[in-house]
Amino acid sequence: MSTIVLLLITGLGLGALYFLVASGLSLIYGLMGVLNFAHGSFLTLGAFAGWELARRMGGESWGTLIASLLLGMVVGALVAAATEFLLIRRLYNRHIEQVLVTVGLALATVALFDGIWGTDPIYVTAPPWLSHTTEILGARVPNDRFLLIGAAVLVLLGIVAFLRYTRFGLVIRAGVENRSMVTALGIDVRKAFTVVFAIGGAAAGLGGVLASHYFGYVSPQLGGSLLIFAFIVTVIGGLGSLAGAAIASVAVAILQQFANYFLGGTGDLMVVLLLAVVLLVRPTGILGKKA
Amino acid sequence: MTESTTAVVTESILTVSDLSASIDGQQVIESVSFEMLPVGVTALLGRNGVGKTSTLRAILGLIERSGEVTVAGERVDREPTHRIVQRGVGYVPEDREVFASLTVAENLRLAERDSSPNRALVAELFPDLTDRAGQLAGTLSGGQQQMVSLARALVNNNQVLLVDEPTKGLAPLIVMDVARALERAAETVPVLLVEQNLQVVRMLAKKAIVLEGGRVVYDGSAEELLGNEALTKELLGVA
């Protein structure tokens, strides 16, 4: 029983991390049709920014952790908005060029991060409570999982509130459904594009700082390794669906944890098989709209 | 091109000159030119597939196009779609294109551009929408969705409305409701109307422009066109 509880909660924690990356990817694809392969770089940069701040402030206080999370969000948002404004804006509806530019940007930024921070993992410090465990139904659950889950829930609620109660949110929801009709109502949908990139970048930047605490280190490859699973989650959840991304994040992470424990470390394989099954049975994903 | 013998009001609110457009490299209209009356309804007619919808979409820049488009004397064809619309060009698309996942109220709120939107006019013309403000637009009937689509255009103070087949697929009773709403709207804003239902055209339009093969083949009085059975049959395939 305790093993099941442990796997479920750690799966939720990992799912929270996937969701922080996948939420931005899904919104960006849903509104703009852009598959952003550079999204992992926003995460990595957020993680390095958080670590830089933490080491300057002294890394073990809650104040430092909160400041580094906020800085990761701000850096992720700014870099993502700049990427949209300077690179992607010229390439809407040119999907091959988008892929080439975002893949190129991802490769170039990893090389840049290698140059600045080196190729070796840099270990991070955090408030001691995060490295302790809490007993739930006999399972000793690492406390950092609760931070991840809490952050992902706050991000989900924040994005939902933004989409539901703001004018930009209304434009984004309508734009995901029918972009050209939004334009035909006299709305400059490009502003919404920049906002969506910024939101996605903020979530990724936050995810980057949290990922550095989850894994215990930050490295230039951090974003790339999470991006693969975030893409899988986005496709399984349904491109453009935030709720789908949330459900798929949890499902994929829990499946991965259980398969790793009970089926001899086959978690990644099971996730790919799940992706294949979803694509065969429901190509639009769990909550994706029909083409 | 067939010309009407009756003089029509000449001061144009919307002028289209030498407008050509293509979709995925396929030319859909070619050198279309016409002027639209500054009052009432101008009907844009033609058989299926002659380029009526493409003409409206080309005016708005929703498809690749060349040529000149002026609104109230100002050239707009180099501007992006949202700027053209902001100049006061309202658009009611074919097949309504309401946002299915938004409520009726959200559809209307999204469309509001002006600081003082015509909510009273919309409520007067479409009281049913007020009752259904919280309902998802995707769950409305075709007629109700058409009301939402028209209301989105009428909620702003436009200089001209482009309305594409508003009665398509609607029950006869609803067709007359839509026609009356358009008649009322045309009292304050000129309307360029694409319509297959000639009864509605007879009721509303002063001027008619007929397209064939992507070109204008008639530009003149709607009454003269529809009063001439042979000409109507020749140009529209129906009498």
Side-chain angles (χ1 to χ4, degrees), chain A residues 167 173-174 177-178 186-187, chain B residues 86 97 99-101 106 109-110:
Chain A
R167 169 85 183 165
R173 281 190 288 146
E177 197 176 318
N178 186 342
I187 296 163
Chain B
Q86 285 169 2
E97 297 194 39
F99 299 103
S101 64
E106 285 175 330
R109 203 163 73 237
L110 185 72

Side-chain angles (χ1 to χ4, degrees), chain A residues 32-78:
Chain A
M32 296 165 259
V34 173
L35 278 174
N36 180 23
F37 289 90
H39 204 71
S41 298
F42 307 155
L43 182 147
T44 308
L45 195 59
F48 273 116
W51 170 74
E52 285 282 6
L53 183 74
R55 80 184 174 94
R56 283 170 173 76
M57 289 178 69
E60 295 197 350
S61 75
W62 282 100
T64 298
L65 177 66
I66 291 167
S68 65
L69 290 170
L70 292 174
L71 182 67
M73 284 176 73
V74 171
V75 167
L78 289 176

Side-chain angles (χ1 to χ4, degrees), chain A residues 9-23 144-153 155 203 206-207 210 214 226 245-246 249-250 253:
Chain A
I9 297 178
T10 53
L12 278 175
L14 185 59
L17 206 49
Y18 290 161
F19 172 74
L20 289 171
V21 191
S23 56
D144 59 0
R145 271 48 170 188
F146 300 120
L147 179 67
L148 282 166
I149 295 165
V153 169
V155 166
L206 175 69
L210 290 168
Y214 178 87
L226 278 168
S249 295
V250 172

